[in-house]
């Protein structure tokens, strides 16, 4: 295998380009990170301090942003008065539950689609992804009607089911590609070694770990950040963080402090997830085991 | 240990028949080699035995038990795959331990068996590595190791040493043969290298385009090939073929050619009874003797075309009227290109084949 070290040659063009990309990335970072910084800082500020803004053009007044006495009162408010721990648990269960179910069903379906030839396979495969072609809003009304007649509205299982219907086709599509890249010979060797078909399937799961990792992240992100399903299917009994945050905006009174704190509470777990899962997203494990 | 029987076995991929009506009986403890050129259906045959490929028609039996519908794990075979098929996410040790682990052996025994096999294959120092950190030959040895840690009913080796260097290959030929003898396990060994098949097998099944050509001991296949194709495939350097006219003079049948006319022995003439016209004469380079002076007996006359010195042997290519033939001789041979030379034929060791079908007369 060729080494991955990139051979580089220095020309005025590459130097200029490097300079340009440095500036571009710096600007881009400011653009994306500033709102998060403001959210983070404001959540620790008293409401009066949060609205202190220097006059336009007064650059020396920037210090005002960081001149405050930190307070945890918004967080206390969220978790003591507003029952946010329950909403957070709801969010976790809904996102985690649908991710687990989608991964289990999706990997088995993807494996079958990848390994077995049967009549109508390509039609089936297309049908699976076609379920994602209609926008969520378009299916909301019928979905609500179905869920209501099944008494699933306002329950966590209902919400998990709703997320799973949307994540499963996605799981199948992503994972099939990963299974296609695992040589069938590896399972054959497992079976000759004494594994059942199912054991052979389980044995190659580490090889599709990057795919599973990527999918879990996408699936959890989708469910965790979802507002529409949570507001309509989960309303009442299965309130999640985005819906609860939205309810902090009341006609007479927008509770900025709590909203900022809720934003932090909602964002942090996803950042942690990203850090944890990063090492599973490394591909290239299959290289070299089978003669091409 | 098992006796393996193929009964009218066919393998079809769609309309294409890769294996045609295969019948082989391989007694318990036999080293059977399936020999044939690339694409002749060797691997397909092997994979049907392992249970990885559906058997299109016919039956495969282990000890009189039909195994067509058994899952691979229930067949108790160990296979070395042509493409290694190692587990990329596992170390060499774990690769080799896998069959034992799946059969629930305890860790102490697993460690013993794997270490022992690794030692035999000279890969003891690689046990901690992963497959992508190995060379082709090392991978191949790990694949062999994974098969021999167990004591299965049947070994299936699909070109297991094709990627080793010549020296290691010779060494592994001996090791594999010795291992098979000691364990007494039936072995099906696929190769396209006739030297490997000749030197290791008890029985050779020669295949060509999906059809079994000949099944026999290495000696039989070499000395009594059933047709011109087998005769040409087995043996290195390859057999020489010359198209000859059959001529009858005073009750003696001879093969005539612009360069010679040689009488057949009486039993050979018997085999050709009723045949007229042309036949293909076949003679191996080592059944010919070359000299620069005309001997008393009837000979083939020709002229030296080129000489190749191969260590302990010399191969001389001799130009005849319509063809070139190769002769094996001692390295002291002194003829130089362009000189006339005389070839005498060992008539116990020549062959005649039908010009059309290639079937051997003798
Ligand atoms: N899955 C398949 N689908 C269609 N044709 C196949 C398939 N596998 C093999 N064949 C064909 O069947 C024939 C026999 O293949 P096989 O792999 O048994 O050959 P082989 O004798 O093992 O050759 P080699 O020495 O190159 O490994 C070949 O012509 C090949 O193209
Ligand atoms: Mg093959």
């Amino acid at each position: 295998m060729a080494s991955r070290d990139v051979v580089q040659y220095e020309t005025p063009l590459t130097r200029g380009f490097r300079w340009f990309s440095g500036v571009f990335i710096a600007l881009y970072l400011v653009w994306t990170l500033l709102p998060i910084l403001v959210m983070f800082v404001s959540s620790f500020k008293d409401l009066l301090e949060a609205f202190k803004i220097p006059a336009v053009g007064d650059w020396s007044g920037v210090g005002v942003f960081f001149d405050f006495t930190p307070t945890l009162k918004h967080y206390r408010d969220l978790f003591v008065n507003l029952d946010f721990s329950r909403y957070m648990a709801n969010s976790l269960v809904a996102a985690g539950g649908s991710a687990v179910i989608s991964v289990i069903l999706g990997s088995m379906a993807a494996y079958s689609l990848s390994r077995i030839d049967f009549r109508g396979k390509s039609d089936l495969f297309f049908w699976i992804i076609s379920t994602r072609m209609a926008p969520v809003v378009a299916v909301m009304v019928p979905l609500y009607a179905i869920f209501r007649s099944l008494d699933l509205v306002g329950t966590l299982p209902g919400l998990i089911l709703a997320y799973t219907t949307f994540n499963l086709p996605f799981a199948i599509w992503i994972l099939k590609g990963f299974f296609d890249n695992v040589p069938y010979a590896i399972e054959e060797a497992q079976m000759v070694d004494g594994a059942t078909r199912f054991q052979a399937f389980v044995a190659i799961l580490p090889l599709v770990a990057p795919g599973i990792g990527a999918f879990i992240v996408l699936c959890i992100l989708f469910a965790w950040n979802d507002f529409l399903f949570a507001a309509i299917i989960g309303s009442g009994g299965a309130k999640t963080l985005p819906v609860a945050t939205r309810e902090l905006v009341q006609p007479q009174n927008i509770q900025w402090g709590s909203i900022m704190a809720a934003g932090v509470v909602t964002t942090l777990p996803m950042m942690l997830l990203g850090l944890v899962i990063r090492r599973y997203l490394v591909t290239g494990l299959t290289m070299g085991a089978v003669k091409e | 240990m098992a006796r393996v029987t193929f009964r009218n076995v066919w393998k079809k991929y769609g309309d294409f028949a890769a294996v045609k009506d295969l019948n082989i009986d391989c007694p318990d403890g036999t080293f059977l080699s399936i020999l044939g050129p690339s694409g002749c259906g060797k691997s397909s045959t092997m994979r049907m035995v392992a249970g990885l490929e559906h058997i299109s028609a016919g039956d495969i039996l282990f000890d009189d038990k039909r195994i067509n519908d058994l899952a691979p794990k229930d067949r108790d075979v160990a296979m070395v795959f042509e493409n290694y098929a190692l587990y990329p996410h596992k170390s060499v040790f774990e690769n080799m331990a896998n069959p034992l682990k799946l059969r629930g052996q305890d860790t102490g025994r697993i460690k013993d068996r794997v270490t022992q096999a690794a030692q035999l294959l000279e890969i003891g120092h690689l046990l901690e590595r992963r497959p992508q950190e190995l060379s082709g030959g090392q991978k191949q040895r790990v694949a062999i190791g994974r098969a021999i840690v167990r004591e299965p009913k049947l070994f299936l080796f699909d070109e297991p040493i094709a990627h080793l260097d010549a020296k290691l290959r010779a060494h592994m030929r001996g090791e594999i043969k010795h291992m098979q003898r000691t364990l007494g396990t039936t072995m099906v060994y696929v190769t396209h290298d006739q030297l490997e098949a000749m030197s290791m097998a008890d029985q050779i099944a020669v295949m060509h385009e999906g059809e079994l050509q000949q099944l026999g001991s290495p000696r039989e296949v070499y000395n009594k090939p059933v047709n011109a194709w087998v005769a040409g495939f087995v043996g290195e350097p390859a057999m020489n073929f010359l198209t000859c006219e059959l001529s009858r003079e005073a009750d003696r049948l001879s093969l005539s050619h612009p360069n010679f006319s040689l009488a057949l022995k009486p039993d050979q003439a018997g085999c050709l009874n009723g045949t007229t016209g042309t036949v293909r004469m076949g003679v191996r380079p080592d059944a010919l003797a070359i000299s620069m002076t005309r001997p008393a007996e009837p000979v083939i006359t020709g002229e030296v075309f080129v000489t190749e010195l191969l260590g302990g042997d010399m191969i001389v290519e001799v130009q005849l009227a319509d063809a070139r033939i190769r002769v094996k001789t001692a390295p002291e041979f002194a003829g130089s290109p362009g000189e006339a030379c005389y070839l005498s034929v060992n008539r116990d060791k020549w062959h005649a084949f039908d010009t059309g079908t290639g079937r051997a007369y003798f």
Side-chain angles (χ1 to χ4, degrees):
Chain A
M1 198 178 73
S3 135
R4 298 229 183 139
D5 297 340
V6 178
V7 184
Q8 277 194 334
Y9 308 96
E10 185 91 357
T11 65
L13 194 67
T14 58
R15 250 195 312 274
F17 187 76
R18 215 171 39 231
W19 183 84
F20 171 77
S21 44
V23 171
F24 179 81
I25 288 170
L27 285 176
Y28 184 76
L29 282 179
V30 169
W31 165 262
T32 50
L33 291 181
L34 202 57
I36 295 177
L37 180 75
V38 169
M39 175 180 81
F40 194 77
V41 173
S42 304
S43 74
F44 292 104
K45 284 181 182 173
D46 192 78
L47 211 51
L48 282 176
E49 286 171 326
F51 280 97
K52 264 196 276 174
I53 298 173
V56 177
D58 176 14
W59 284 100
S60 57
V62 169
V64 167
F65 283 118
F66 301 96
D67 174 24
F68 64 96
T69 21
T71 168
L72 285 175
K73 71 174 191 175
H74 300 305
Y75 291 93
R76 217 174 304 127
D77 206 31
L78 280 188
F79 287 98
V80 177
N81 303 332
L82 290 170
D83 213 5
F84 255 61
S85 46
R86 192 161 64 81
Y87 307 145
M88 192 161 180
N90 283 347
S91 271
L92 276 178
V93 172
S98 84
V100 168
I101 295 177
S102 308
V103 159
I104 293 175
L105 296 180
S107 57
M108 292 198 282
Y111 177 78
S112 319
L113 282 169
S114 166
R115 292 302 191 238
I116 305 168
D117 274 321
F118 51 88
R119 199 141 42 110
K121 175 165 136 173
S122 53
D123 298 327
L124 179 69
F125 194 42
F126 181 73
W127 172 74
I128 288 172
I129 198 65
S130 72
T131 60
R132 285 294 303 261
M133 286 176 184
V136 176
V137 210
V139 296
M140 214 33 150
V141 173
L143 205 61
Y144 182 78
I146 295 169
F147 274 45
R148 200 182 46 189
S149 60
L150 294 173
D151 273 339
L152 286 170
V153 173
T155 65
L156 269 178
L159 198 52
I160 291 176
L161 189 62
Y163 288 149
T164 305
T165 33
F166 274 79
N167 279 328
L168 193 53
F170 209 33
I172 296 173
W173 262 68
I174 294 187
L175 293 178
K176 179 178 179 291
F178 279 87
F179 278 116
D180 284 345
N181 278 332
V182 177
Y184 188 43
I186 294 177
E187 287 143 80
E188 293 184 331
Q190 283 281 359
M191 289 192 277
V192 172
D193 278 357
T196 60
R197 184 82 194 226
F198 189 74
Q199 282 174 316
F201 161 68
V202 172
I204 62 162
L205 285 182
L207 297 175
V208 294
I212 290 180
F215 170 69
I216 285 181
V217 171
L218 290 173
C219 180
I220 289 183
L221 281 180
F222 169 73
W224 185 269
N225 294 335
D226 165 72
F227 180 76
L228 199 54
F229 280 103
I232 296 174
I233 307 266
S235 62
K239 203 187 285 177
T240 59
L241 286 177
V243 179
T245 308
R246 168 68 181 76
E247 286 176 2
L248 295 175
V249 182
Q250 285 145 3
Q252 314 81 2
N253 173 21
I254 301 177
Q255 304 180 36
W256 283 115
S258 302
I259 290 174
M260 290 302 155
V264 172
V265 165
T266 312
T267 316
L268 266 187
M270 290 305 103
M271 291 188 167
L272 291 179
L273 175 74
L275 286 180
V276 170
I277 206 102
R278 208 168 48 159
R279 86 190 172 91
Y280 292 105
L281 299 180
V282 182
T283 45
L285 266 175
T286 54
M287 265 181 295
V290 171
K291 185 171 68 178
E292 297 301 340
Chain B
M1 334 263 135
R3 159 187 182 168
V4 184
T5 313
F6 295 80
R7 226 181 253 164
N8 307 99
V9 172
W10 287 75
K11 177 67 209 176
K12 287 189 179 160
Y13 298 106
D15 285 336
F16 175 75
V19 177
K20 299 171 194 159
D21 198 24
L22 185 66
N23 283 289
I24 296 179
D25 187 18
C26 173
D28 191 5
T30 309
F31 194 125
L32 171 76
S33 175
I34 301 182
L35 173 67
S38 186
C40 72
K42 307 182 296 290
S43 297
S44 303
T45 308
M46 194 76 132
R47 292 166 53 81
M48 286 192 284
V49 181
L52 300 172
E53 209 73 69
H54 177 72
I55 300 168
S56 308
D59 296 320
I60 297 178
L61 298 93
F62 289 179
D63 291 331
D64 301 323
K65 182 164 170 279
R66 184 174 175 276
I67 51 114
N68 287 35
D69 302 314
L70 280 188
K73 75 178 179 71
D74 299 321
R75 298 191 183 194
D76 194 18
V77 300
M79 180 157 175
V80 178
F81 286 78
E82 191 173 10
N83 54 9
Y84 323 136
L86 300 178
Y87 312 129
H89 54 301
K90 294 186 173 177
S91 69
V92 168
F93 180 90
E94 290 166 321
N95 264 281
M96 289 169 65
N98 195 54
L100 300 172
K101 220 179 258 170
L102 281 168
R103 284 179 165 77
Q105 309 262 7
D106 59 82
T107 26
R109 200 180 131 71
I110 293 180
K111 198 160 182 341
D112 287 348
R113 297 286 309 179
V114 172
T115 326
Q116 207 181 330
Q119 204 157 22
L120 178 78
L121 296 161
E122 299 174 13
I123 48 174
H125 57 294
L126 303 173
L127 288 177
E128 298 309 317
R129 296 223 197 144
R130 299 204 170 213
Q132 60 265 42
E133 297 159 356
L134 302 178
S135 75
Q138 289 167 338
K139 283 180 202 168
Q140 206 151 38
R141 280 179 283 161
V142 176
I144 297 177
R146 189 171 59 185
I148 64 174
V149 288
R150 223 151 58 71
E151 275 161 32
K153 263 195 203 146
L154 177 65
F155 282 126
L156 299 172
F157 280 29
D158 196 347
E159 311 202 8
I161 56 177
H163 293 268
L164 306 186
D165 61 69
K167 186 157 162 256
L168 195 52
R169 193 152 56 207
H171 172 70
M172 288 305 301
R173 278 207 301 264
E175 290 289 355
I176 293 175
K177 170 119 195 182
H178 177 75
M179 179 201 75
Q180 191 268 340
R181 276 286 139 78
T182 335
L183 297 175
T185 311
T186 317
M187 160 83 87
V188 182
Y189 187 104
V190 162
T191 178
H192 60 248
D193 179 352
Q194 49 94 26
L195 176 68
E196 236 169 68
M198 297 296 280
S199 61
M200 298 169 81
D202 300 318
Q203 291 279 305
I204 298 182
V206 188
M207 285 181 75
H208 178 45
E209 289 178 354
E211 281 179 64
L212 178 67
Q213 305 290 315
Q214 186 168 9
L215 176 66
S217 68
R219 200 162 268 134
E220 279 167 350
V221 171
Y222 188 80
N223 292 333
K224 290 209 169 324
V226 295
N227 59 35
W229 191 85
V230 173
F233 188 72
V234 174
E236 175 64 37
M239 185 182 275
N240 301 298
F241 293 102
L242 293 170
T243 304
C244 299
E245 241 6 277
L246 271 178
S247 57
R248 191 176 291 275
E249 310 147 7
D251 246 23
R252 275 172 63 91
L253 205 54
S254 306
L255 294 179
S256 11
H257 181 268
N259 290 77
F260 60 87
S261 174
L262 295 167
L264 290 161
K265 303 177 97 177
D267 54 327
Q268 294 170 342
C271 296
L272 279 169
N273 247 343
T275 317
T276 51
T278 58
V279 296
R280 282 181 85 192
M281 186 266 260
V283 60
R284 293 196 186 280
D286 52 7
L288 289 165
I290 188 166
S291 82
M292 302 304 289
T293 51
R294 181 183 276 279
E297 60 196 292
V299 288
I300 304 176
T301 52
E303 134 183 333
V304 176
F305 182 71
V306 74
T307 60
E308 301 165 18
L309 184 62
L310 303 176
D313 291 315
M314 164 106 61
I315 306 295
V316 184
E317 234 178 294
V318 176
Q319 179 75 54
L320 303 187
D322 60 349
R324 270 180 224 145
I325 66 176
R326 313 182 98 203
V327 185
K328 195 156 152 181
T329 184
E332 290 75 32
F333 177 75
S336 34
E339 288 184 87
C341 62
Y342 306 92
L343 305 174
S344 49
V345 181
N346 178 345
R347 269 175 286 175
D348 290 325
K349 290 194 176 173
W350 68 350
H351 304 269
F353 304 97
D354 189 291
T355 356
T357 64
R359 192 179 61 82
Y361 294 112
F362 59 85

